Amino acid sequence: MKMLPRLLALSLAVALPGPAFAAQTFALVVGVDQYPNDVSLDGAVRDAEDVYRSMSAAGFTVTKFTNAEARKDDIRKAWTDMVAQAAAGDTIIFTYAGHGAQMPELIAGDEADGLDEFLQLPGFDRNRYEETSKEIIVDNEMNAWFGEAEGKGVHVLFVSDSCFSGGMSRSVTGKTRLAPAVTVKLAPPSQEAIAGANLKDIDFKQVTVLAASLESQPTPEVIIDGEPRGALSWSFARAVEGSADRDGNGIITRIELEDYIFSNVKNRSEALQVPNFMPQVARSESEVVVTLTRGIPVNNGTTTETADNDNGTTTPVVEKTIKSAKDLGWTGNIALQIDGAGDKPKNADGTGTPFRWDVASGVFYTPNGDVAAENVDAERIQSVVDKYVLLDFLKALASQNPGSVSLTPVKDIYAAGTRLRFDAPPGRYPNMLVFNLANTGEVQFLDMQAAGTSSSQFKLTDVEIVKPFGADHLITIWTAEPVDAIGAVLADRAVTSQTLLQALLTRLDGKEASVAIQPLYTRETL
């Protein structure tokens, strides 16, 4: 994905001097599903409403525009008002969920690829550009907006759950947030679109941009909790609720936000997306991007100690409340559509966009339209359903404490014969479990490292992709809880997803554990 390219060279916001709970956070939230002159979306307004709720609960001053309310003049005025109200050290967060698009550069020689990017509002009609050009926000204009905040010492975080380029190799049925490009040379929509071009070489020190995908990837709408959503918006909303605040001190650093967003976007998009931070590297470990204005406690946690800050002050540290999977929305069921004559398995009475089982072909599809498993017959269907019930449970745990693992090379999908490597580093907890949930529904035990034993990085090297094809999920769990009993369950060659789920519910649900999920989609040929 290509997102506001001239911001690629910007420096990240400097760290706030200490927690500074007196600083205020303003937020501007825009979400558009309904595009009268283009393909409409399904989940952008849900994204905006979710982010709005989380930021309001965090104590931010929030202004929201959705669908027809999202008019450029009104958005511009809201931004101007926020900059006027904000003081040095305050933060403005601007989140956008909707279509992005490209157009020939407005200023000759301004862009390396000859293209400007823009956010497309519902009033824009590319067939009537002169009359509707004011209903796009060009990257040049956003530079000018950000420059206004920069001039007052106000921090800016721009979160764009949209798309400007890229394609995917997996057959996903959801919509992408990419509108058709404008192909003819057009006049700048405003003076700001010209003036903003002159800011491309300015070293912004207080602006961070978080885009949904890399340039080479699309931004698809994916199914989360049964509904079309943007994985970045969903993850950002959970981050602001406090899940990204790993140490519970009421601030989210760039490092904390990165760790949280990268892991959960991977989990919720099934590895279709890799978010893109700009600049790509944090300036310091303590660099703050979000201050939870409501202060602490976070998630009704209990203050247990204080942390010393560099400026000589102390900040209460909160022991977070770990929610159960059910409190996080897990139901123990998935929704399943059966095409053909077949009995419905247990735990398949969930609601929302369903998985789909084509009985005649034996193909089992995810709600996103991916092939999850092949050769699924009446004997295997229950184990496949049980796998996804367990996977949803693990995703719920990961949403409040995600871990990080890697698969090399990185691809949307892997063809037969491809060789790859999987790495799971030691975590911050003493115990680790590694296992695979195969596309057949089988549970494959890979490793256990318990406290008191030699802890090391777990590696699978030179793994070759072979039949059966579909979607595997490599799982790593780190915890301070005892894992011997879970390990004993995993070591049983006859272990099922249902048995493992019961062990995890008993031992880890509502307990502190970090979970990493690495989707692995395969097929015979690409």
Side-chain angles (χ1 to χ4, degrees), residues 358-382:
D358 187 317
V359 179
S361 68
V363 177
F364 188 86
Y365 298 91
T366 72
N368 292 327
D370 272 315
V371 174
E374 300 175 340
N375 304 315
V376 178
D377 55 19
E379 292 184 3
R380 181 176 290 179
I381 184 62
Q382 185 65 60

Side-chain angles (χ1 to χ4, degrees), residues 15 91 93 107 159 172 181 229 248 278 354 366 372 387 391 396 398 405 436-437 487:
T91 299
I93 301 175
I107 309 298
V159 181
V172 174
R229 290 293 306 271
M278 294 169 275
T366 72
K387 168 195 167 169
L391 186 61
V405 294
N436 181 44
L437 300 180

Side-chain angles (χ1 to χ4, degrees), residues 156-172:
V156 174
L157 174 61
F158 176 49
V159 181
S160 178
D161 204 341
S162 61
C163 182
F164 291 95
S165 63
M168 69 178 77
S169 55
R170 280 168 35 196
S171 299
V172 174

